[in-house]
Amino acid sequence: MDIEHQPLQERIEHFKDVLRRSGLKATHQRLEIFREAGKSEEHPDAEAIFKAVRARIPTISLDTVYRTLWLFVDLGLLSALGPPRQRVRFDANMTPHHHFFCRKCSRMLDFYSTEFDRLIIPMNAKALGKVEAAQVEIRGLCSRCSA
Ligand SMILES: [Zn+2]
Ligand SMILES: [Zn+2]
């Protein structure tokens, strides 16, 4: 789809690498959770990841999936998108990008923009704390829903 978009196999190699460097094991369970988060362009939430992983690992719990996803966020393997926390979505696309959020079907679509990557952070945002990243979220009706 997008040329900037990193293939799943590359993401998984990177995943194994990061875990190894952090002294963590790339267990089957962790790998399945990451694969589920990483293969989708839909920015799945924990519930959706849980349901998909449970089809292959029936003994897994939602709590484990949550803890594992937050571990991946801490390791810089995923980003967590926006509040509210209970419906937080996870994004395995770590290339700088922006989002189009469809208010009807709740899909969150990635897009790339070098202009938005260079956004100037306003002083009053900087006054609120140390800025680490900035991402643009556009809301509207996706082409599927507006057709
Ligand atoms: Zn839509
Ligand atoms: Zn994204």
Side-chain angles (χ1 to χ4, degrees), residues 28-38 49 53 56-57 60 64-66 68-69 72 78:
H28 176 59
Q29 192 170 283
R30 283 177 179 156
L31 189 64
E32 287 299 315
I33 293 170
F34 184 77
R35 193 195 300 281
E36 219 35 69
I49 294 168
V53 173
R56 292 189 299 277
I57 311 176
I60 202 157
T64 302
V65 171
Y66 263 111
T68 308
L69 288 168
F72 295 166
L78 297 177

PDB file of all heavy atoms in Angstrom, residues 28-38 49 53 56-57 60 64-66 68-69 72 78:
ATOM      1  N   HIS A  28       6.479 -17.692  22.456  1.00  0.00           N
ATOM      2  CA  HIS A  28       5.416 -17.916  21.465  1.00  0.00           C
ATOM      3  C   HIS A  28       4.253 -16.938  21.703  1.00  0.00           C
ATOM      4  O   HIS A  28       3.743 -16.315  20.782  1.00  0.00           O
ATOM      5  CB  HIS A  28       4.939 -19.370  21.596  1.00  0.00           C
ATOM      6  CG  HIS A  28       3.790 -19.707  20.709  1.00  0.00           C
ATOM      7  ND1 HIS A  28       3.856 -19.598  19.337  1.00  0.00           N
ATOM      8  CD2 HIS A  28       2.538 -20.133  20.992  1.00  0.00           C
ATOM      9  CE1 HIS A  28       2.694 -19.956  18.823  1.00  0.00           C
ATOM     10  NE2 HIS A  28       1.874 -20.272  19.797  1.00  0.00           N
ATOM     11  N   GLN A  29       3.893 -16.799  22.990  1.00  0.00           N
ATOM     12  CA  GLN A  29       2.783 -15.916  23.357  1.00  0.00           C
ATOM     13  C   GLN A  29       3.060 -14.463  22.976  1.00  0.00           C
ATOM     14  O   GLN A  29       2.219 -13.799  22.373  1.00  0.00           O
ATOM     15  CB  GLN A  29       2.585 -16.040  24.863  1.00  0.00           C
ATOM     16  CG  GLN A  29       1.320 -15.432  25.383  1.00  0.00           C
ATOM     17  CD  GLN A  29       1.117 -15.830  26.840  1.00  0.00           C
ATOM     18  OE1 GLN A  29       0.714 -16.938  27.164  1.00  0.00           O
ATOM     19  NE2 GLN A  29       1.434 -14.909  27.728  1.00  0.00           N
ATOM     20  N   ARG A  30       4.236 -13.974  23.317  1.00  0.00           N
ATOM     21  CA  ARG A  30       4.606 -12.594  22.973  1.00  0.00           C
ATOM     22  C   ARG A  30       4.625 -12.400  21.464  1.00  0.00           C
ATOM     23  O   ARG A  30       4.169 -11.381  20.954  1.00  0.00           O
ATOM     24  CB  ARG A  30       5.983 -12.256  23.550  1.00  0.00           C
ATOM     25  CG  ARG A  30       5.923 -11.974  25.034  1.00  0.00           C
ATOM     26  CD  ARG A  30       7.301 -11.718  25.599  1.00  0.00           C
ATOM     27  NE  ARG A  30       7.207 -11.435  27.024  1.00  0.00           N
ATOM     28  CZ  ARG A  30       8.193 -11.623  27.881  1.00  0.00           C
ATOM     29  NH1 ARG A  30       9.346 -12.101  27.480  1.00  0.00           N
ATOM     30  NH2 ARG A  30       8.032 -11.329  29.159  1.00  0.00           N
ATOM     31  N   LEU A  31       5.158 -13.385  20.771  1.00  0.00           N
ATOM     32  CA  LEU A  31       5.261 -13.293  19.320  1.00  0.00           C
ATOM     33  C   LEU A  31       3.868 -13.233  18.680  1.00  0.00           C
ATOM     34  O   LEU A  31       3.626 -12.421  17.780  1.00  0.00           O
ATOM     35  CB  LEU A  31       6.045 -14.495  18.795  1.00  0.00           C
ATOM     36  CG  LEU A  31       6.439 -14.453  17.327  1.00  0.00           C
ATOM     37  CD1 LEU A  31       7.399 -13.303  17.061  1.00  0.00           C
ATOM     38  CD2 LEU A  31       7.088 -15.767  16.904  1.00  0.00           C
ATOM     39  N   GLU A  32       2.957 -14.056  19.172  1.00  0.00           N
ATOM     40  CA  GLU A  32       1.600 -14.068  18.613  1.00  0.00           C
ATOM     41  C   GLU A  32       0.887 -12.739  18.862  1.00  0.00           C
ATOM     42  O   GLU A  32       0.172 -12.241  18.002  1.00  0.00           O
ATOM     43  CB  GLU A  32       0.782 -15.220  19.219  1.00  0.00           C
ATOM     44  CG  GLU A  32       1.176 -16.591  18.708  1.00  0.00           C
ATOM     45  CD  GLU A  32       0.986 -16.743  17.192  1.00  0.00           C
ATOM     46  OE1 GLU A  32      -0.064 -16.333  16.676  1.00  0.00           O
ATOM     47  OE2 GLU A  32       1.906 -17.256  16.536  1.00  0.00           O
ATOM     48  N   ILE A  33       1.097 -12.174  20.040  1.00  0.00           N
ATOM     49  CA  ILE A  33       0.464 -10.886  20.367  1.00  0.00           C
ATOM     50  C   ILE A  33       1.033  -9.790  19.481  1.00  0.00           C
ATOM     51  O   ILE A  33       0.299  -8.979  18.912  1.00  0.00           O
ATOM     52  CB  ILE A  33       0.634 -10.555  21.875  1.00  0.00           C
ATOM     53  CG1 ILE A  33      -0.168 -11.550  22.729  1.00  0.00           C
ATOM     54  CG2 ILE A  33       0.190  -9.110  22.169  1.00  0.00           C
ATOM     55  CD1 ILE A  33       0.106 -11.472  24.220  1.00  0.00           C
ATOM     56  N   PHE A  34       2.336  -9.805  19.318  1.00  0.00           N
ATOM     57  CA  PHE A  34       2.948  -8.779  18.473  1.00  0.00           C
ATOM     58  C   PHE A  34       2.535  -8.945  17.015  1.00  0.00           C
ATOM     59  O   PHE A  34       2.240  -7.973  16.322  1.00  0.00           O
ATOM     60  CB  PHE A  34       4.482  -8.793  18.586  1.00  0.00           C
ATOM     61  CG  PHE A  34       5.109  -7.691  17.798  1.00  0.00           C
ATOM     62  CD1 PHE A  34       5.105  -6.393  18.286  1.00  0.00           C
ATOM     63  CD2 PHE A  34       5.659  -7.923  16.545  1.00  0.00           C
ATOM     64  CE1 PHE A  34       5.644  -5.349  17.542  1.00  0.00           C
ATOM     65  CE2 PHE A  34       6.196  -6.888  15.791  1.00  0.00           C
ATOM     66  CZ  PHE A  34       6.189  -5.595  16.297  1.00  0.00           C
ATOM     67  N   ARG A  35       2.501 -10.199  16.558  1.00  0.00           N
ATOM     68  CA  ARG A  35       2.123 -10.463  15.177  1.00  0.00           C
ATOM     69  C   ARG A  35       0.706  -9.928  14.899  1.00  0.00           C
ATOM     70  O   ARG A  35       0.448  -9.305  13.877  1.00  0.00           O
ATOM     71  CB  ARG A  35       2.167 -11.964  14.911  1.00  0.00           C
ATOM     72  CG  ARG A  35       2.095 -12.332  13.427  1.00  0.00           C
ATOM     73  CD  ARG A  35       1.784 -13.796  13.229  1.00  0.00           C
ATOM     74  NE  ARG A  35       2.783 -14.669  13.820  1.00  0.00           N
ATOM     75  CZ  ARG A  35       3.973 -14.946  13.251  1.00  0.00           C
ATOM     76  NH1 ARG A  35       4.270 -14.439  12.088  1.00  0.00           N
ATOM     77  NH2 ARG A  35       4.831 -15.738  13.851  1.00  0.00           N
ATOM     78  N   GLU A  36      -0.168 -10.128  15.861  1.00  0.00           N
ATOM     79  CA  GLU A  36      -1.555  -9.679  15.706  1.00  0.00           C
ATOM     80  C   GLU A  36      -1.627  -8.146  15.671  1.00  0.00           C
ATOM     81  O   GLU A  36      -2.362  -7.571  14.887  1.00  0.00           O
ATOM     82  CB  GLU A  36      -2.372 -10.244  16.870  1.00  0.00           C
ATOM     83  CG  GLU A  36      -3.748 -10.712  16.554  1.00  0.00           C
ATOM     84  CD  GLU A  36      -3.924 -11.347  15.185  1.00  0.00           C
ATOM     85  OE1 GLU A  36      -3.412 -12.459  14.931  1.00  0.00           O
ATOM     86  OE2 GLU A  36      -4.587 -10.706  14.353  1.00  0.00           O
ATOM     87  N   ALA A  37      -0.846  -7.505  16.538  1.00  0.00           N
ATOM     88  CA  ALA A  37      -0.835  -6.035  16.545  1.00  0.00           C
ATOM     89  C   ALA A  37      -0.150  -5.499  15.298  1.00  0.00           C
ATOM     90  O   ALA A  37      -0.515  -4.449  14.772  1.00  0.00           O
ATOM     91  CB  ALA A  37      -0.122  -5.522  17.803  1.00  0.00           C
ATOM     92  N   GLY A  38       0.847  -6.232  14.822  1.00  0.00           N
ATOM     93  CA  GLY A  38       1.693  -5.736  13.748  1.00  0.00           C
ATOM     94  C   GLY A  38       1.187  -6.005  12.351  1.00  0.00           C
ATOM     95  O   GLY A  38       1.563  -5.315  11.415  1.00  0.00           O
ATOM     96  N   ILE A  49      -7.153  -7.698  19.631  1.00  0.00           N
ATOM     97  CA  ILE A  49      -5.926  -8.495  19.621  1.00  0.00           C
ATOM     98  C   ILE A  49      -6.144  -9.771  20.434  1.00  0.00           C
ATOM     99  O   ILE A  49      -5.796 -10.870  20.010  1.00  0.00           O
ATOM    100  CB  ILE A  49      -4.731  -7.670  20.149  1.00  0.00           C
ATOM    101  CG1 ILE A  49      -4.432  -6.521  19.174  1.00  0.00           C
ATOM    102  CG2 ILE A  49      -3.491  -8.542  20.365  1.00  0.00           C
ATOM    103  CD1 ILE A  49      -3.474  -5.474  19.697  1.00  0.00           C
ATOM    104  N   VAL A  53      -5.778 -13.616  19.085  1.00  0.00           N
ATOM    105  CA  VAL A  53      -4.737 -14.480  19.637  1.00  0.00           C
ATOM    106  C   VAL A  53      -5.380 -15.700  20.315  1.00  0.00           C
ATOM    107  O   VAL A  53      -4.862 -16.820  20.225  1.00  0.00           O
ATOM    108  CB  VAL A  53      -3.819 -13.710  20.620  1.00  0.00           C
ATOM    109  CG1 VAL A  53      -2.851 -14.639  21.330  1.00  0.00           C
ATOM    110  CG2 VAL A  53      -3.041 -12.613  19.883  1.00  0.00           C
ATOM    111  N   ARG A  56      -5.746 -18.962  18.564  1.00  0.00           N
ATOM    112  CA  ARG A  56      -4.589 -19.844  18.444  1.00  0.00           C
ATOM    113  C   ARG A  56      -4.035 -20.283  19.789  1.00  0.00           C
ATOM    114  O   ARG A  56      -3.423 -21.338  19.904  1.00  0.00           O
ATOM    115  CB  ARG A  56      -3.485 -19.151  17.620  1.00  0.00           C
ATOM    116  CG  ARG A  56      -3.880 -18.975  16.158  1.00  0.00           C
ATOM    117  CD  ARG A  56      -2.703 -18.505  15.328  1.00  0.00           C
ATOM    118  NE  ARG A  56      -2.200 -17.221  15.762  1.00  0.00           N
ATOM    119  CZ  ARG A  56      -2.730 -16.049  15.390  1.00  0.00           C
ATOM    120  NH1 ARG A  56      -3.764 -16.014  14.597  1.00  0.00           N
ATOM    121  NH2 ARG A  56      -2.219 -14.926  15.833  1.00  0.00           N
ATOM    122  N   ILE A  57      -4.216 -19.440  20.831  1.00  0.00           N
ATOM    123  CA  ILE A  57      -3.777 -19.794  22.193  1.00  0.00           C
ATOM    124  C   ILE A  57      -4.996 -19.664  23.113  1.00  0.00           C
ATOM    125  O   ILE A  57      -5.218 -18.610  23.703  1.00  0.00           O
ATOM    126  CB  ILE A  57      -2.622 -18.880  22.692  1.00  0.00           C
ATOM    127  CG1 ILE A  57      -1.500 -18.781  21.642  1.00  0.00           C
ATOM    128  CG2 ILE A  57      -2.072 -19.366  24.022  1.00  0.00           C
ATOM    129  CD1 ILE A  57      -0.365 -17.831  22.021  1.00  0.00           C
ATOM    130  N   ILE A  60      -4.977 -18.072  26.818  1.00  0.00           N
ATOM    131  CA  ILE A  60      -4.512 -16.704  27.084  1.00  0.00           C
ATOM    132  C   ILE A  60      -5.635 -15.868  27.722  1.00  0.00           C
ATOM    133  O   ILE A  60      -6.817 -16.081  27.435  1.00  0.00           O
ATOM    134  CB  ILE A  60      -3.972 -16.062  25.786  1.00  0.00           C
ATOM    135  CG1 ILE A  60      -3.016 -14.921  26.136  1.00  0.00           C
ATOM    136  CG2 ILE A  60      -5.096 -15.595  24.869  1.00  0.00           C
ATOM    137  CD1 ILE A  60      -2.039 -14.599  25.036  1.00  0.00           C
ATOM    138  N   THR A  64      -3.336 -10.745  30.387  1.00  0.00           N
ATOM    139  CA  THR A  64      -1.995 -11.028  29.844  1.00  0.00           C
ATOM    140  C   THR A  64      -1.758 -10.210  28.575  1.00  0.00           C
ATOM    141  O   THR A  64      -0.677  -9.645  28.382  1.00  0.00           O
ATOM    142  CB  THR A  64      -1.855 -12.532  29.532  1.00  0.00           C
ATOM    143  OG1 THR A  64      -2.090 -13.254  30.723  1.00  0.00           O
ATOM    144  CG2 THR A  64      -0.472 -12.864  28.995  1.00  0.00           C
ATOM    145  N   VAL A  65      -2.788 -10.160  27.726  1.00  0.00           N
ATOM    146  CA  VAL A  65      -2.655  -9.409  26.480  1.00  0.00           C
ATOM    147  C   VAL A  65      -2.392  -7.934  26.795  1.00  0.00           C
ATOM    148  O   VAL A  65      -1.488  -7.321  26.225  1.00  0.00           O
ATOM    149  CB  VAL A  65      -3.908  -9.587  25.590  1.00  0.00           C
ATOM    150  CG1 VAL A  65      -3.877  -8.652  24.393  1.00  0.00           C
ATOM    151  CG2 VAL A  65      -4.013 -11.035  25.113  1.00  0.00           C
ATOM    152  N   TYR A  66      -3.146  -7.368  27.743  1.00  0.00           N
ATOM    153  CA  TYR A  66      -2.932  -5.977  28.140  1.00  0.00           C
ATOM    154  C   TYR A  66      -1.513  -5.752  28.636  1.00  0.00           C
ATOM    155  O   TYR A  66      -0.827  -4.832  28.199  1.00  0.00           O
ATOM    156  CB  TYR A  66      -3.910  -5.584  29.263  1.00  0.00           C
ATOM    157  CG  TYR A  66      -5.130  -4.867  28.752  1.00  0.00           C
ATOM    158  CD1 TYR A  66      -6.377  -5.480  28.791  1.00  0.00           C
ATOM    159  CD2 TYR A  66      -5.042  -3.567  28.224  1.00  0.00           C
ATOM    160  CE1 TYR A  66      -7.505  -4.828  28.314  1.00  0.00           C
ATOM    161  CE2 TYR A  66      -6.161  -2.915  27.750  1.00  0.00           C
ATOM    162  CZ  TYR A  66      -7.397  -3.553  27.800  1.00  0.00           C
ATOM    163  OH  TYR A  66      -8.498  -2.907  27.319  1.00  0.00           O
ATOM    164  N   THR A  68       1.148  -7.461  28.178  1.00  0.00           N
ATOM    165  CA  THR A  68       2.143  -7.655  27.121  1.00  0.00           C
ATOM    166  C   THR A  68       2.173  -6.451  26.186  1.00  0.00           C
ATOM    167  O   THR A  68       3.242  -5.983  25.790  1.00  0.00           O
ATOM    168  CB  THR A  68       1.840  -8.958  26.353  1.00  0.00           C
ATOM    169  OG1 THR A  68       1.704 -10.019  27.294  1.00  0.00           O
ATOM    170  CG2 THR A  68       2.951  -9.290  25.384  1.00  0.00           C
ATOM    171  N   LEU A  69       1.000  -5.930  25.847  1.00  0.00           N
ATOM    172  CA  LEU A  69       0.946  -4.773  24.951  1.00  0.00           C
ATOM    173  C   LEU A  69       1.622  -3.556  25.581  1.00  0.00           C
ATOM    174  O   LEU A  69       2.366  -2.835  24.923  1.00  0.00           O
ATOM    175  CB  LEU A  69      -0.509  -4.448  24.584  1.00  0.00           C
ATOM    176  CG  LEU A  69      -1.185  -5.452  23.633  1.00  0.00           C
ATOM    177  CD1 LEU A  69      -2.683  -5.202  23.579  1.00  0.00           C
ATOM    178  CD2 LEU A  69      -0.579  -5.394  22.237  1.00  0.00           C
ATOM    179  N   PHE A  72       5.283  -3.889  25.380  1.00  0.00           N
ATOM    180  CA  PHE A  72       5.757  -3.536  24.037  1.00  0.00           C
ATOM    181  C   PHE A  72       5.805  -2.017  23.857  1.00  0.00           C
ATOM    182  O   PHE A  72       6.695  -1.502  23.179  1.00  0.00           O
ATOM    183  CB  PHE A  72       4.873  -4.163  22.958  1.00  0.00           C
ATOM    184  CG  PHE A  72       4.910  -5.675  22.911  1.00  0.00           C
ATOM    185  CD1 PHE A  72       3.955  -6.381  22.198  1.00  0.00           C
ATOM    186  CD2 PHE A  72       5.899  -6.386  23.580  1.00  0.00           C
ATOM    187  CE1 PHE A  72       3.989  -7.770  22.144  1.00  0.00           C
ATOM    188  CE2 PHE A  72       5.929  -7.781  23.539  1.00  0.00           C
ATOM    189  CZ  PHE A  72       4.972  -8.473  22.822  1.00  0.00           C
ATOM    190  N   LEU A  78       5.546  -0.553  20.032  1.00  0.00           N
ATOM    191  CA  LEU A  78       4.208  -0.134  19.622  1.00  0.00           C
ATOM    192  C   LEU A  78       3.989   1.250  20.175  1.00  0.00           C
ATOM    193  O   LEU A  78       4.601   1.626  21.169  1.00  0.00           O
ATOM    194  CB  LEU A  78       3.126  -1.041  20.244  1.00  0.00           C
ATOM    195  CG  LEU A  78       3.057  -2.519  19.903  1.00  0.00           C
ATOM    196  CD1 LEU A  78       1.936  -3.158  20.712  1.00  0.00           C
ATOM    197  CD2 LEU A  78       2.806  -2.719  18.418  1.00  0.00           C
TER     198      LEU A  78
END
